[in-house]
């Protein structure tokens, strides 16, 4: 009778240990899946931010190039304006000399 009780206790204990081990494995898998999902989410967010940063850098470089181009264009316009003024003065001087001769 005592041996029967011991066997039943052992059997009950073993089934409880097995059930607890299965629950632990299930929880571990859930945690791993949750962790994997979070890692994938963070990786996706990181990729999105890297793309945004790249696009920002491209826009900044483009804007910088555009600013440089605008400055060069303004300088060329200014130089062109000075050249036009100089030529107009020369024309006026030449016209003035021409009038004096006649």
């Amino acid at each position: 009778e005592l041996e029967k009780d011991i066997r039943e206790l052992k059997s009950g204990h073993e089934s409880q240990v097995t059930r607890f081990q299965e629950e632990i494995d299930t929880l571990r898998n859930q945690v791993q899946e949750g962790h994997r999902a979070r890692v994938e989410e963070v990786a996706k967010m990181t990729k999105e931010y890297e793309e945004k940063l790249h696009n920002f850098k491209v826009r900044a470089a483009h804007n910088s190039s555009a600013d440089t181009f605008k400055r060069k264009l303004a300088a060329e316009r200014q130089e062109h304006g000075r050249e036009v003024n100089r030529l107009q003065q020369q024309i006026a001087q030449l016209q003035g000399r021409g009038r004096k001769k006649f």
Side-chain angles (χ1 to χ4, degrees):
E1 187 77 29
L2 184 60
E3 284 185 24
K4 183 181 173 192
D5 288 345
I6 290 173
R7 271 183 280 158
E8 285 177 8
L9 280 173
K10 268 186 164 180
S11 174
H13 175 72
E14 287 172 357
S15 69
Q16 255 187 336
V17 167
T18 302
R19 193 178 75 235
F20 286 146
Q21 189 60 49
E22 288 171 353
E23 287 180 26
I24 289 170
D25 290 344
T26 300
L27 291 172
R28 183 178 292 130
N29 288 338
Q30 289 173 350
V31 167
Q32 287 174 345
E33 283 300 316
H35 177 71
R36 188 175 300 120
R38 182 67 182 143
V39 166
E40 289 171 1
E41 181 183 342
V42 168
K44 180 182 173 187
M45 288 172 53
T46 300
K47 184 177 179 181
E48 288 173 1
Y49 283 118
E50 286 173 347
E51 288 174 3
K52 287 179 182 179
L53 178 61
H54 171 75
N55 292 338
F56 176 78
K57 286 179 179 178
V58 167
R59 281 195 310 274
H62 174 74
N63 289 342
S64 176
S65 295
D67 289 344
T68 300
F69 176 75
K70 287 176 188 174
R71 281 194 300 276
K72 285 182 180 178
L73 185 59
E76 287 178 16
R77 282 183 180 157
Q78 200 172 32
E79 180 62 34
H80 176 72
R82 284 194 292 265
E83 184 68 18
V84 167
N85 287 340
R86 189 180 62 75
L87 292 172
Q88 285 175 340
Q89 286 175 356
Q90 283 182 348
I91 290 169
Q93 287 174 353
L94 290 172
Q95 286 174 341
R97 287 182 193 161
R99 287 190 195 128
K100 289 181 183 176
K101 289 183 181 178
F102 293 107

